[in-house]
């Protein structure tokens, strides 16, 4: 388990008086006061910079460094930061499961490619890009078959967005009557953020010529699960991309190499990896992947199908489970917020279990259907504290308390959990997952 330490900061006077219960401080330090923080630190470091290189210099300054490498890797002390792998079927299906992003160890809004979460239903296929073909057929005037090389000649676009598994945060859902004490990355780490580049799907559908009866598409992967989902044609024509690049490099094998569908804001497995065909259909296909899974259990015993959009959500990632605090003092509360409906407009943070809230600062740029970083300074007095975050988006959606979210579904519902996450800070600085 990652066990990252965070230290309290000095110079409390610049933060002023608390703006809400539990010691939350004004977010203005992240909006306009940044220069003040920087100048304080610079003044303190000036004396150290005046020393010249000599016998007492560190080893790194007196010995040449390591040579170049063709592909960079993380610094040695950071190598223990890994995805958490869960294989619920064990040896019966080692390729069915997830590798979760270690949110407690990351900052900013872009997930490194090697730590982007992975969900596979029957392993990561090995696909020869020379041999791979992509088919558009069904209710079209001209069925088309493409090579990768030919697709790479089409006009491309780049956009930054999150991908979130529909089952993300299942450890906070009503499947678990008691809160699981695992790092935040194991609770909410089936979401990651990346910059994706590829060909807009509507260009290819235009070339194939849609039949007016074509209202849905079936997207199918070339993996051993034949992962396939039905997508409304409106989404396919709106902002769907056939992605070839992730954060500037060609897709990793586990992210769908050589090509994947990307449906911003929709449940992650609809962004079908290892994409081999799109069939235009009159209605949904009711594939195994959208009937046996990815349906929502309702209180009346029915299962709701085709709930595509991932709701407004947020979580504090520091402090959070998997992070240890050392003593009372000033801290920065940092976290992520996102919405499949649009842009995050506001994140409120509570340090008194929801009795009072203070508005956090949001990191720019705030992009629709993308991870947004929020921050707020906090003076912890060392007493037991309940921390929460609550995000709101530009369509007016906001997060519900866990009990209110849970009451919408039958017991055992594990998809689309976007309830407020609660962290308990103990007197010893330990952080726990709490239900309130
Ligand atoms: Co759904």
């Amino acid at each position: 388990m990652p066990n990252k330490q965070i230290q309290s900061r000095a110079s409390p006077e610049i933060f002023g008086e608390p703006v809400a219960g539990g010691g939350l401080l004004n977010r203005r330090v992240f909006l306009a006061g940044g220069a003040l923080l920087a100048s304080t630190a610079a003044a303190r470091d000036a004396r150290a910079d005046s020393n010249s290189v000599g016998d007492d210099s560190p080893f790194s300054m007196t010995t040449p460094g390591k040579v170049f490498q063709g592909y960079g890797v993380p610094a040695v002390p950071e190598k223990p930061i890994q995805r958490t792998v869960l294989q619920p079927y064990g040896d019966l299906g080692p390729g069915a499961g997830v590798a979760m992003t270690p949110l407690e160890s990351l900052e900013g809004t872009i997930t490194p490619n090697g730590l982007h979460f992975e969900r596979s239903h029957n392993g990561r296929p090995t696909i020869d890009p020379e041999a791979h073909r992509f088919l558009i057929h069904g209710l079209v005037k001209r069925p088309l078959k493409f090579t990768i090389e030919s697709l790479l000649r089409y006009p491309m676009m780049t956009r930054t967005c999150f991908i979130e598994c529909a089952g993300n945060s299942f450890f906070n859902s009503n499947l678990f009557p008691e809160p699981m004490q695992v790092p935040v990355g194991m609770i909410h780490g089936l979401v990651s953020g990346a910059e994706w580049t590829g060909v807009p799907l509507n260009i290819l559908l235009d070339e194939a010529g849609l039949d007016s009866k074509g209202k849905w598409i079936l997207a199918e992967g070339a993996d051993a699960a034949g992962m396939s989902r039905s997508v409304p044609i409106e989404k396919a024509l709106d902002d769907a991309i056939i992605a070839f690049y992730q954060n500037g490099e060609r897709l990793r094998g586990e992210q769908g190499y050589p090509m994947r569908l990307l449906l911003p804001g929709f449940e992650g497995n609809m962004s079908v990896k290892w994409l081999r065909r799109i069939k235009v259909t009159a209605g949904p296909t009711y594939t195994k992947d959208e009937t046996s899974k990815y349906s929502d259990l309702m209180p009346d015993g029915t299962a709701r199908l085709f709930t595509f959009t991932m709701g407004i959500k947020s979580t504090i990632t520091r402090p959070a489970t998997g992070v240890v605090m050392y003593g009372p003092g000033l801290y920065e509360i940092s976290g992520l917020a996102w919405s499949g409906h649009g842009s995050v407009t506001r994140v409120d943070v509570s340090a008194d279990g929801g009795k009072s809230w203070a508005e956090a600062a949001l990191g720019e740029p705030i992009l629709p259907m993308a991870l947004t970083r929020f921050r707020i300074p906090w003076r912890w007095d060392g007493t037991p504290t309940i921390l929460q975050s609550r995000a709101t988006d530009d369509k007016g959606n906001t997060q519900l308390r866990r009990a209110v979210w849970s009451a919408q579904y039958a017991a055992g519902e594990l998809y689309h959990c976007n309830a407020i996450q609660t962290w308990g800070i103990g007197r010893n600085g330990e952080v726990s997952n709490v239900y309130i």
Side-chain angles (χ1 to χ4, degrees), residues 121 142 432 434:
H121 293 248
R142 289 172 296 278
S432 56
V434 171

Side-chain angles (χ1 to χ4, degrees), residues 237-273:
L237 294 173
D238 179 16
D239 58 0
I241 298 172
I242 306 290
F244 299 94
Y245 295 87
Q246 178 183 358
N247 293 330
E249 65 180 0
R250 291 291 294 275
L251 300 181
R252 298 277 169 106
E254 69 267 32
Q255 295 303 332
Y257 185 85
M259 57 187 286
R260 78 177 300 169
L261 186 58
L262 183 74
L263 301 175
F266 274 24
E267 18 188 68
N269 91 318
M270 300 179 72
S271 289
V272 174
K273 299 188 285 190

Side-chain angles (χ1 to χ4, degrees), residues 72-360:
V73 295
V76 171
E78 303 298 322
K79 279 185 177 162
I81 295 172
Q82 303 276 318
R83 292 182 285 210
T84 300
V85 176
L86 299 180
Q87 293 159 301
Y89 310 107
D91 292 341
L92 291 174
V98 293
M100 308 182 78
T101 295
L103 299 175
E104 63 279 359
S105 301
L106 302 178
E107 254 294 345
T109 56
I110 297 294
T111 310
N113 286 343
L115 295 174
H116 194 288
F117 91 86
E118 175 187 6
R119 167 80 170 108
S120 295
H121 293 248
N122 199 1
R124 177 181 74 244
T126 302
I127 295 176
D128 175 1
E130 303 272 319
H132 189 73
R133 296 292 180 271
F134 171 59
L135 175 67
I136 296 181
H137 67 137
L139 295 171
V140 294
K141 297 184 179 75
R142 289 172 296 278
L144 299 171
K145 190 183 269 189
F146 300 91
T147 61
I148 296 292
E149 189 271 332
S150 66
L151 284 169
L152 290 174
R153 290 195 227 163
Y154 278 79
M156 294 202 193
M157 64 170 290
T158 296
R159 84 170 283 170
T160 299
C161 65
F162 72 82
I163 297 181
E164 182 180 23
C165 177
N168 192 26
S169 314
F170 62 88
F171 277 144
N172 197 35
S173 77
N174 65 22
L175 187 63
F176 291 89
E178 297 298 324
M180 297 289 284
Q181 300 307 328
V182 295
V184 56
M186 275 183 73
I187 302 175
H188 300 294
L190 292 179
V191 69
S192 305
E195 183 207 79
W196 302 90
T197 299
V199 178
L201 178 57
N202 61 22
I203 293 179
L204 304 178
L205 290 175
D206 278 354
E207 187 174 342
L210 283 179
D211 186 308
S212 61
K213 291 191 292 291
K215 300 299 181 196
W216 289 69
I217 63 170
L218 169 73
E220 182 183 80
D223 59 331
M227 234 297 300
S228 48
R229 289 293 307 259
S230 303
V231 183
I233 196 73
E234 293 80 10
K235 183 69 173 177
L237 294 173
D238 179 16
D239 58 0
I241 298 172
I242 306 290
F244 299 94
Y245 295 87
Q246 178 183 358
N247 293 330
E249 65 180 0
R250 291 291 294 275
L251 300 181
R252 298 277 169 106
E254 69 267 32
Q255 295 303 332
Y257 185 85
M259 57 187 286
R260 78 177 300 169
L261 186 58
L262 183 74
L263 301 175
F266 274 24
E267 18 188 68
N269 91 318
M270 300 179 72
S271 289
V272 174
K273 299 188 285 190
W274 315 293
L275 187 67
R276 69 180 287 269
R277 69 177 174 127
I278 282 178
K279 182 181 184 184
V280 180
T281 57
T285 302
Y286 299 100
T287 71
K288 68 184 189 312
D289 300 300
E290 57 200 13
T291 51
S292 73
K293 296 183 183 67
Y294 304 105
S295 60
D296 304 324
L297 299 172
M298 306 309 288
D300 65 0
T302 60
R304 188 181 283 170
L305 300 179
F306 306 129
T307 53
F308 301 135
T309 304
M310 298 308 295
I312 178 78
K313 196 191 289 191
S314 69
T315 183
I316 295 169
T317 56
R318 196 184 67 235
T321 47
V323 178
V324 176
M325 297 172 56
Y326 285 87
L330 274 161
Y331 289 88
E332 177 191 270
I333 292 173
S334 174
L336 290 169
W338 62 97
S339 172
H341 296 282
S343 300
V344 173
T345 51
R346 184 184 173 107
V347 177
D348 293 291
V349 172
S350 175
D352 57 9
K355 286 199 278 289
S356 65
W357 298 83
E359 192 174 353

Side-chain angles (χ1 to χ4, degrees), residues 21-22 350-353 378 380-387 423-427 434:
S350 175
D352 57 9
W378 171 48
W380 184 44
D381 64 5
T383 61
T385 302
I386 300 291
L387 290 180
W423 303 127
I425 313 292
R427 203 174 288 280
V434 171

